């Protein structure tokens, strides 16, 4: 990925505007991350969409949404994307004249847009499955707890996945920044702080795999009118905290 970054950031003339430079940084991140994202979504579409529909046709409907079994995957994959941003791109980009401030702003934009697109793709997956299930007369029961009770509630599906993914990206971003900036032991000591965006979102939304155990313990999520704004604020603070930690960071020499 470093070669793609270098190619996209090498030709930055001294007079280039901040807006143009920012767009080029975002393009470099997008180009560098594209292979990983394409492979991930190819696996998801094959394993949970195509594979799920094949299972349903062979069994004449299992009574459950196969796409729903993959709901844990996007947030943890997105956390890994957030972790990888700094070690993958920072050295090459700063060497080409990109400031740490601009790098962190670009990373925040990149991660936010990625979360929104992931939520859209997940909505589309549910709708494709719902269309086929309705056509065949199959039940689309959800295996996991969600903000939505039906896959026709597109707004709630989008909100759930956008919030979960961006908060886990913020946690990944903090993990990547703290370990890279502070070293292993101090980064390890910062793990509880880095996990706050993801943990807060899980406890505020109470959806997916954690929803069942928390409900059995008698814990129920607060009103969405409270939970959603708090998740947005916590995720934004996580991205901003990484931005602040990154500012005085000395560069490490590129390996190889």
């Amino acid at each position: 990925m470093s070669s793609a970054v270098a190619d996209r950031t090498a030709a930055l003339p001294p007079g280039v505007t901040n807006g143009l430079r920012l767009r080029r940084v975002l393009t470099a991140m997008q180009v560098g991350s594209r292979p990983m994202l394409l492979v991930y979504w190819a696996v998801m579409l094959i394993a949970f969409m195509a594979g799920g529909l094949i299972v349903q046709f062979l069994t004449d409907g299992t009574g459950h949404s196969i796409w729903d079994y993959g709901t844990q995957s996007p947030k943890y994959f997105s956390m890994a994307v957030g972790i990888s941003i700094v070690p993958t791109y920072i050295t090459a980009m700063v060497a080409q004249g990109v400031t740490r401030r601009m790098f962190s702003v670009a990373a925040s934009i990149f991660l936010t847009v990625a979360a929104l697109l992931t939520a859209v793709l997940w909505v589309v997956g549910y709708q494709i499955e719902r269309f086929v299930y309705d056509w065949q007369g199959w039940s689309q029961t959800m295996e996991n707890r969600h903000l939505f009770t039906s896959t026709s509630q597109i707004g709630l599906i989008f909100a759930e996945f956008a919030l979960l993914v961006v908060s886990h990206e913020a946690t990944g971003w903090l993990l990547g920044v703290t370990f890279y900036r502070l070293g292993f032991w101090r980064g390890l000591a910062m793990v509880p702080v880095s996990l706050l965006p993801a943990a807060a979102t899980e406890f505020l939304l109470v959806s997916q795999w954690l929803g069942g155990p928390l409900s059995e313990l008698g814990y129920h999520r607060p009103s969405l009118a409270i939970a959603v704004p708090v998740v947005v604020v916590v995720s934004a603070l996580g991205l901003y905290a990484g931005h602040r930690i990154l500012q005085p960071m000395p560069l490490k020499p590129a390996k190889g």
Side-chain angles (χ1 to χ4, degrees):
M1 279 194 252
S2 60
S3 60
V5 173
D7 290 342
R8 291 286 175 173
T9 58
L12 294 176
V16 70
T17 64
N18 284 341
L20 179 57
R21 190 182 293 268
L22 179 61
R23 288 196 296 273
R24 292 187 177 182
V25 173
L26 286 168
T27 299
M29 290 181 176
Q30 184 265 327
V31 170
S33 301
R34 185 186 298 162
M36 177 174 59
L37 295 173
L38 290 177
V39 168
Y40 168 76
W41 278 106
V43 170
M44 291 300 298
L45 290 173
I46 293 171
F48 289 98
M49 180 56 69
L53 292 177
I54 290 172
V55 168
Q56 294 285 19
F57 278 109
L58 292 177
T59 60
D60 196 25
T62 63
H64 289 84
S65 166
I66 302 297
W67 187 244
D68 195 56
Y69 286 108
T71 53
Q72 313 308 318
S73 174
K75 58 186 182 183
Y76 298 125
F77 172 76
S78 297
M79 184 184 293
V81 172
I83 291 172
S84 70
I85 290 287
V86 171
T88 301
Y89 298 109
I90 185 69
T91 300
M93 287 193 175
V94 173
Q96 298 298 330
V98 177
T99 65
R100 292 165 179 79
R101 183 185 301 276
M102 179 170 288
F103 176 83
S104 62
V105 169
S108 297
I109 295 172
F110 174 79
L111 292 174
T112 301
V113 172
L116 297 177
L117 291 176
T118 299
V120 169
L121 289 169
W122 218 262
V123 167
V124 171
Y126 274 121
Q127 301 317 303
I128 292 173
E129 188 182 68
R130 181 165 69 96
F131 173 79
V132 176
Y133 279 34
D134 288 347
W135 174 45
Q136 292 293 317
W138 297 332
S139 172
Q140 198 187 16
T141 304
M142 300 292 108
E143 181 69 19
N144 298 286
R145 292 176 182 266
H146 295 286
L147 301 184
F148 53 95
T149 56
S150 168
T151 53
S152 63
Q153 297 172 305
I154 292 175
L156 288 176
I157 298 173
F158 178 83
E160 176 180 320
F161 283 91
L163 293 172
L164 282 169
V165 170
V166 76
S167 63
H168 283 73
E169 285 177 336
T171 281
W173 163 248
L174 277 174
L175 288 170
V177 169
T178 52
F179 273 93
Y180 195 87
R181 169 73 176 88
L182 304 175
F184 178 79
W185 292 111
R186 286 189 292 172
L188 191 64
M190 288 287 291
V191 165
V193 176
S194 298
L195 291 176
L196 280 176
T201 301
E202 295 282 11
F203 279 91
L204 285 165
L205 298 185
V206 194
S207 62
Q208 302 188 10
W209 72 270
L210 195 59
L214 287 176
S215 296
E216 290 173 5
L217 292 173
Y219 176 82
H220 301 285
R221 67 168 167 258
S223 165
L224 291 182
I226 297 174
V228 170
V230 173
V231 170
V232 171
V233 170
V234 169
S235 300
L237 288 175
L239 293 172
Y240 180 71
H243 167 80
R244 295 298 301 171
I245 295 170
L246 192 65
Q247 297 314 301
M249 188 186 77
L251 289 180
K252 295 184 178 182
K255 295 182 179 180

